[in-house]
Amino acid sequence: MELLSVKEHHARTLLIHYRWDVEKLFAVLVEKGKDSLFSGAGVTLLENQSCDSSVSGSSSMMSCDICVEDVPGYQLTRMDCGHSFCNNCWTGHFTVKINEGQSKRIICMAHKCNAICDEDVVRALVSKSQPDLAEKFDRFLLESYIEDNKMVKWCPSTPHCGNAIRVEDDELCEVECSCGLQFCFSCSSQAHSPCSCVMWELWRKKCFDESETVNWITVHTKPCPKCHKPVEKNGGCNLVTCLCRQSFCWLCGEATGRDHTWARISGHSCGRFQEDKEKQMERAKRDLKRYMHYHNRYKAHIDSSKLEAKLSNNISKKVSISEKRELQLKDFSWATNGLHRLFRSRRVLSYSYPFAFYMFGDELFKDEMSSEEREIKQNLFEDQQQQLEANVEKLSKFLEEPFDQFADDKVMQIRIQVINLSVAVDTLCENMYECIENDLLGSLQLGIHNITPYRSNGIERASDFYSSQNSKEAVGQSSDCGWTSRLDQALESGKSEDTSCSSGKRARIDESYRNSQTTLLDLNLPAEAIERK
């Protein structure tokens, strides 16, 4: 507003058009000029325009070009673009657009006019006849900051916690909402590094759809030549019979009669080699075996992490008991630190298997690497993966020791082991990420597979930015304030004053969280429309 000398709704229209990317907006301003910036976003500024949107304060009759009826001048409304129509036509137009979900960019009714209507006029006209629809309009404007902004996203929790996360620097990161959910900010799925978003989506789909079921059916069953249903062999004889009573040869799948001996089937011979079918069968077996190798290890580490989650209470109890004992060692923070390191490294280890499945398979990078290059990179990655796995298991073993029952010397030995293993595991995780970023993904031409950088302290949790709790004072206004304006206040840098808004149906908790990386905005809206100032 200050830079361009425009009204609030004009500034919001510009930001919505450029998806709240201020840098892009400024770039267009510098490269193409102010006129191009405004026209592209549908913002029209007339010189010497009046602040009053009504055409005339008198009761002189004027004609509306939409309904072609004569109405008093005070019942006509002029927009910033200069077009004026009667209030009934404007209200009907606004109602249709809001119900269609176009609240963010309601254009003028005039032919070939792309100017965006003043949101204050929209709100004033609609609220007279349909207050609920005016509240819906405000809600759409508010949500635009989240849904159209690449740096802000809703928390994907179920049920929805009502929070939105804003990142400050890079959208390629993993964050933790105040509700406790950890997710990838880029794709809104669960935190999955060192997997890229594309790899994780393919792996998730592969684990939940029927692709591997089809592979198993291909390997272990044959289709009946009559009803085409899959038939599983349950004996040694190669003459099998389907439930439809059709007999066929298990070796070639062709229909036969029922007469047979242990040596041969009467009137049937299939000793000739068919290369295509054999290759298809071998390929299906190999793909199934490879998938099961990576899936079993991924699932094993996921299950281990769930079981190790119970260690938290056990560690707290053992630390509490140890602190009451008369031991030389008084500080047991190494146990809780080691537990947190175990959780983080176990998660990295589990998601490294889906990464390896796609990194060294033929599905994504078949043409990016030669067979020799793929083998060298796979050996390099698997060596680091194996070292990390061995140290993670050792750390898990020492944390499960009942050190609250041991003597001083034994407790000191466990402490040293846990501290050393925690450092080793952290270093190995960091080395694995560097290997993936530089040696594996960095050398590929296809640059869509980016991973979240490794954070030694774990996934970053959104922290407190500003808070308002039942305060009677607000920034620049009384306790009755519109939540659209309050969001604007929340987004202003350098303001941390308490604000509040009243609601007749339920209490509001209005909080947002921020640190150098992420911001959390609590956007739980009141159940009824709030009186605007």
Side-chain angles (χ1 to χ4, degrees):
M1 291 172 61
E2 294 177 359
L3 178 67
L4 302 177
S5 300
V6 294
K7 298 179 181 179
E8 178 182 348
H9 71 274
H10 289 146
R12 194 194 316 278
T13 300
L14 288 169
L15 288 169
I16 290 176
H17 178 73
Y18 292 100
R19 302 185 66 84
W20 298 88
D21 191 341
V22 181
E23 293 182 359
K24 182 178 180 181
L25 191 152
F26 288 164
V28 174
L29 176 63
V30 173
E31 295 175 3
K32 299 182 179 180
K34 194 172 183 179
D35 293 338
S36 178
L37 175 73
F38 285 0
S39 61
V43 175
T44 303
L45 299 180
L46 298 179
E47 295 182 0
N48 301 324
Q49 65 180 8
S50 174
C51 295
D52 188 4
S53 60
S54 61
V55 174
S56 174
S58 65
S59 58
S60 58
M61 304 301 290
M62 303 184 69
S63 177
C64 173
D65 294 338
I66 299 296
C67 60
V68 198
E69 292 184 1
D70 293 333
V71 295
Y74 63 85
Q75 292 186 6
L76 270 73
T77 300
R78 178 189 293 112
M79 291 297 166
D80 295 333
C81 56
H83 296 116
S84 58
F85 305 102
C86 71
N87 293 342
N88 290 335
C89 291
W90 279 122
T91 303
H93 176 64
F94 297 153
T95 300
V96 171
K97 294 300 181 181
I98 294 173
N99 287 328
E100 290 178 351
Q102 302 181 29
S103 297
K104 295 177 290 187
R105 292 184 61 82
I106 301 179
I107 63 174
C108 175
M109 290 189 293
H111 182 58
K112 293 185 178 180
C113 180
N114 296 320
I116 304 302
C117 297
D118 187 343
E119 63 188 48
D120 291 331
V121 176
V122 176
R123 188 179 299 108
L125 292 178
V126 174
S127 60
K128 292 179 180 179
S129 58
Q130 302 182 64
D132 293 341
L133 196 62
E135 181 185 0
K136 185 178 181 180
F137 171 73
D138 278 341
R139 171 77 191 202
F140 282 145
L141 287 180
L142 177 65
E143 290 182 348
S144 168
Y145 181 75
I146 288 87
E147 296 173 356
D148 298 334
N149 193 337
K150 67 177 183 178
M151 305 302 284
V152 182
K153 286 188 178 180
W154 291 109
C155 171
S157 58
T158 304
H160 188 34
C161 65
N163 295 330
I165 301 289
R166 179 179 67 181
V167 296
E168 300 293 327
D169 300 326
D170 188 5
E171 59 180 316
L172 186 64
C173 62
E174 292 175 339
V175 295
E176 180 179 352
C177 179
S178 63
C179 68
L181 180 68
Q182 298 178 344
F183 65 97
C184 172
F185 189 85
S186 179
C187 65
S188 297
S189 298
Q190 66 187 77
H192 52 72
S193 66
C195 257
S196 68
C197 296
V198 176
M199 290 179 179
W200 174 247
E201 181 62 25
L202 292 173
W203 179 260
R204 187 187 62 82
K205 184 178 179 181
K206 193 175 189 67
C207 291
F208 287 102
D209 67 8
E210 297 181 355
S211 60
E212 297 312 315
T213 303
V214 172
N215 274 346
W216 189 93
I217 291 176
T218 303
V219 172
H220 296 93
T221 68
K222 296 287 181 68
C224 171
K226 180 181 179 181
C227 66
H228 304 290
K229 292 182 179 179
V231 178
E232 184 180 7
K233 183 180 177 183
N234 60 358
C237 182
N238 285 323
L239 179 70
V240 295
T241 303
C242 180
L243 293 176
C244 68
R245 309 308 299 169
Q246 173 64 51
S247 299
F248 64 95
C249 175
W250 178 259
L251 297 177
C252 66
E254 294 183 4
T256 65
R258 295 183 59 82
D259 296 335
H260 70 291
T261 63
W262 289 107
R264 62 187 299 273
I265 302 173
S266 299
H268 178 72
S269 177
C270 60
R272 297 183 181 275
F273 177 70
Q274 296 181 351
E275 185 175 3
D276 292 341
K277 289 187 176 180
E278 292 297 327
K279 285 184 177 180
Q280 183 180 3
M281 187 73 66
E282 290 299 325
R283 187 182 305 110
K285 289 181 179 179
R286 184 180 68 252
D287 292 344
L288 178 62
K289 184 177 180 180
R290 183 174 182 272
Y291 167 75
M292 293 305 298
H293 169 83
Y294 287 100
H295 182 269
N296 289 340
R297 283 154 180 78
Y298 160 76
K299 188 68 166 56
H301 287 293
I302 290 293
D303 294 340
S304 296
S305 63
K306 292 179 180 179
L307 294 174
E308 288 168 349
K310 301 178 182 179
L311 271 178
S312 182
N313 293 331
N314 295 335
I315 291 291
S316 298
K317 292 179 181 178
K318 288 189 286 188
V319 169
S320 178
I321 294 174
S322 300
E323 288 176 345
K324 295 178 181 178
R325 297 174 59 195
E326 296 181 357
L327 299 175
Q328 295 180 357
L329 184 63
K330 301 299 182 182
D331 183 14
F332 290 90
S333 59
W334 54 269
T336 54
N337 293 337
L339 182 64
H340 295 323
R341 179 63 58 194
L342 175 64
F343 291 158
R344 292 192 287 270
S345 57
R346 181 74 76 178
R347 188 187 65 83
V348 171
L349 187 60
S350 60
Y351 290 108
S352 68
Y353 283 99
F355 169 82
F357 178 81
Y358 288 106
M359 183 69 219
F360 308 114
D362 297 333
E363 191 167 350
L364 293 179
F365 307 111
K366 182 179 181 180
D367 300 330
E368 293 275 352
M369 296 180 289
S370 62
S371 299
E372 295 78 7
E373 186 180 3
R374 179 182 288 106
E375 184 178 359
I376 294 173
K377 290 184 176 182
Q378 185 171 357
N379 291 333
L380 173 65
F381 177 79
E382 289 178 348
D383 287 343
Q384 296 192 0
Q385 190 182 45
Q386 187 176 2
Q387 294 180 39
L388 176 61
E389 190 170 24
N391 283 274
V392 167
E393 298 301 339
K394 290 179 182 178
L395 180 60
S396 177
K397 174 187 174 183
F398 280 107
L399 288 173
E400 291 178 354
E401 293 283 352
F403 58 84
D404 56 326
Q405 303 175 10
F406 293 159
D408 284 336
D409 295 340
K410 184 68 173 177
V411 173
M412 191 62 67
Q413 293 177 4
I414 294 177
R415 173 182 175 273
I416 295 175
Q417 290 289 345
V418 169
I419 293 176
N420 291 339
L421 287 171
S422 298
V423 174
V425 162
D426 182 43
T427 303
L428 289 171
C429 286
E430 187 174 1
N431 292 340
M432 176 182 288
Y433 273 71
E434 291 179 356
C435 174
I436 292 174
E437 292 177 344
N438 300 328
D439 300 330
L440 301 183
L441 295 179
S443 61
L444 301 178
Q445 296 180 358
L446 194 62
I448 62 174
H449 296 276
N450 298 316
I451 65 171
T452 301
Y454 176 69
R455 293 182 56 85
S456 179
N457 295 329
I459 295 177
E460 185 173 11
R461 182 181 176 87
S463 59
D464 193 7
F465 172 45
Y466 88 101
S467 173
S468 64
Q469 300 173 351
N470 298 326
S471 173
K472 294 300 181 181
E473 297 180 357
V475 179
Q477 60 186 19
S478 63
S479 60
D480 290 331
C481 60
W483 37 262
T484 304
S485 299
R486 194 174 63 255
L487 177 63
D488 298 335
Q489 295 165 1
L491 301 178
E492 290 179 2
S493 60
K495 287 189 177 181
S496 60
E497 295 90 341
D498 290 346
T499 64
S500 68
C501 282
S502 60
S503 174
K505 286 191 176 181
R506 61 185 173 94
R508 273 184 63 82
I509 300 176
D510 190 357
E511 296 179 334
S512 69
Y513 300 81
R514 175 186 181 185
N515 56 21
S516 61
Q517 294 290 334
T518 59
T519 303
L520 185 145
L521 303 172
D522 187 347
L523 299 180
N524 290 303
L525 299 181
E528 63 181 9
I530 300 173
E531 181 182 0
R532 302 183 62 83
K533 59 176 179 176

